[in-house]
Amino acid sequence: MATVVANDNLLKDAALIVDVCFSVEEGDVVTIICDDDRTAEAAAVAEVVVERGGWPVVMNNEAQVRRGRADVRFPMAPPANLHRAMVGSDEVIIIANLEWANRFAHVNAVRETCEANGKIASIEPGMGEWGLSREDLERSAQRTKDAVAALAGKKQCHVTTPLGTDFYVSIEGRPPLELTPYKARGQMMSPIPLWTEVAFAAIEDFTYGAAVVDGVMLGIGLPGQVEEPIRWTLEGGRCVKIEGGAEADRLRKAIEGVENADVIGEFAFGTSEKAPFGTPSEKGRIGTVHLALGDNHNAYPGGQNVCSLHLDGVFLNATLQIVDDGAYILKDGEWAL
């Protein structure tokens, strides 16, 4: 177990999570899910919750996190006792390995927590070293709102990158997930506080073109970005070919035989200037676009694809154009709105 050291910077960032991101109130029941590596952060958050008059319980889920990281097919659904605790909480704060937490976001227990009007988010690493201000959070939140407004009522987007990404995706009739650092009751889980993004359930039978993953690729055990780009060929909403080196081989094996794992379930892009590259958080960074293979029915409004996997791949230095009106959201990796 990690040594619990609640220094001033750690408590300052814990207070940012409790007071600003979650707005924990007196009497709130708070479930904090952690793993062995992040017990100090979990303890700091619990300490602040107590000071605010809340009722925190820290649940160490190390066994499942460790096994899930080692095997992408190991069940992500939490044990029944943790499931019940999540659904019965006012706030669920997940302070565990971020790659695991990203995949955990797509289990039934998370959806049921949202349906029960709870607040839920995963916390990015580095608590005590973020150096974030409320103004930083507000800028990324406003950028997210601006992008949602630009996409209101739109049908299609076109994404390109210097390495050969060139695909079209339909979001027609699909409401966006507006993911900011501020968690609201019933809102879908997302990482906070560095990460912000806009995400959609892609129309399941539409996406076509090529997508070249040159950032992080979740679910195949990578510590950071891919060493060799992974090229997806997309037809009729499915990834029909995966090409590249050893990492492409690992991705093919991860989805082989898994029902609906080749469907393009998610289309999303980052709106944060703070989310770090080389970690799962880069999915929330300005200049990146990502698609996910697999499930979109649990997490995204209107999503129809049911799958046991949800594996994100990131495209760097992206240009993102709205087909309907020609407006750019990203141009050569820079914010264009």
Side-chain angles (χ1 to χ4, degrees), residues 249-273:
D249 292 340
R250 286 155 70 178
L251 179 58
R252 279 195 299 270
K253 291 176 182 176
I255 69 170
E256 185 179 5
V258 179
E259 188 176 6
N260 295 326
D262 60 346
V263 172
I264 302 301
E266 177 197 5
F267 161 67
F269 56 92
T271 59
S272 168
E273 60 189 353

Side-chain angles (χ1 to χ4, degrees), residues 157-169 206-213 230-236 238-243 264 289 291 315 319:
C157 292
H158 180 210
V159 177
T160 59
T161 69
L163 284 188
T165 293
D166 188 347
F167 68 81
Y168 289 83
V169 61
F206 182 90
T207 310
Y208 64 92
V212 181
V213 177
I230 303 174
R231 182 181 179 87
W232 303 356
T233 299
L234 312 174
E235 296 178 3
R238 293 180 181 266
C239 180
V240 299
K241 186 183 295 184
I242 297 173
E243 299 172 288
I264 302 301
V289 172
L291 297 176
F315 323 115
T319 294

Side-chain angles (χ1 to χ4, degrees), residues 25 140 158 170 174 208 216 249 288:
E25 299 178 348
S140 62
H158 180 210
S170 174
R174 296 285 167 88
Y208 64 92
V216 299
D249 292 340
T288 70

Side-chain angles (χ1 to χ4, degrees), residues 144 148 175-179 187-189 197-201 299-301:
T144 306
V148 166
L177 279 178
E178 182 180 305
L179 300 175
Q187 184 184 52
M188 178 54 195
M189 174 179 163
E197 71 169 284
V198 177
F200 291 88
Y300 306 97

Side-chain angles (χ1 to χ4, degrees), residues 72-95:
V72 71
R73 300 196 188 192
F74 185 79
M76 293 299 298
N81 57 346
L82 179 53
H83 187 143
R84 289 191 295 269
M86 291 170 63
V87 176
S89 298
D90 294 294
E91 288 87 23
V92 178
I93 304 176
I94 301 170
I95 309 177

Side-chain angles (χ1 to χ4, degrees), residues 108-261:
N108 289 337
V110 170
R111 176 178 52 81
E112 291 173 21
T113 300
C114 296
E115 290 173 349
N117 211 31
K119 299 178 185 178
I120 182 169
S122 55
I123 309 304
E124 291 164 287
M127 188 183 297
E129 302 173 356
W130 292 330
L132 289 171
S133 67
R134 293 190 183 218
E135 289 75 21
D136 292 329
L137 301 186
E138 190 53 42
R139 277 197 302 273
S140 62
Q142 186 58 53
R143 209 177 283 117
T144 306
K145 294 177 187 297
D146 292 343
V148 166
L151 286 163
K154 303 304 191 298
K155 298 179 180 179
Q156 289 183 32
C157 292
H158 180 210
V159 177
T160 59
T161 69
L163 284 188
T165 293
D166 188 347
F167 68 81
Y168 289 83
V169 61
S170 174
I171 56 173
E172 185 173 2
R174 296 285 167 88
L177 279 178
E178 182 180 305
L179 300 175
T180 77
Y182 311 119
K183 300 311 297 182
R185 289 195 175 279
Q187 184 184 52
M188 178 54 195
M189 174 179 163
S190 66
I192 57 172
L194 303 169
W195 169 325
T196 52
E197 71 169 284
V198 177
F200 291 88
I203 297 296
E204 291 80 4
D205 62 356
F206 182 90
T207 310
Y208 64 92
V212 181
V213 177
D214 55 342
V216 299
M217 180 68 237
L218 300 189
I220 58 173
L222 300 182
Q225 296 175 335
V226 297
E227 293 185 4
E228 183 177 344
I230 303 174
R231 182 181 179 87
W232 303 356
T233 299
L234 312 174
E235 296 178 3
R238 293 180 181 266
C239 180
V240 299
K241 186 183 295 184
I242 297 173
E243 299 172 288
E247 293 158 334
D249 292 340
R250 286 155 70 178
L251 179 58
R252 279 195 299 270
K253 291 176 182 176
I255 69 170
E256 185 179 5
V258 179
E259 188 176 6
N260 295 326

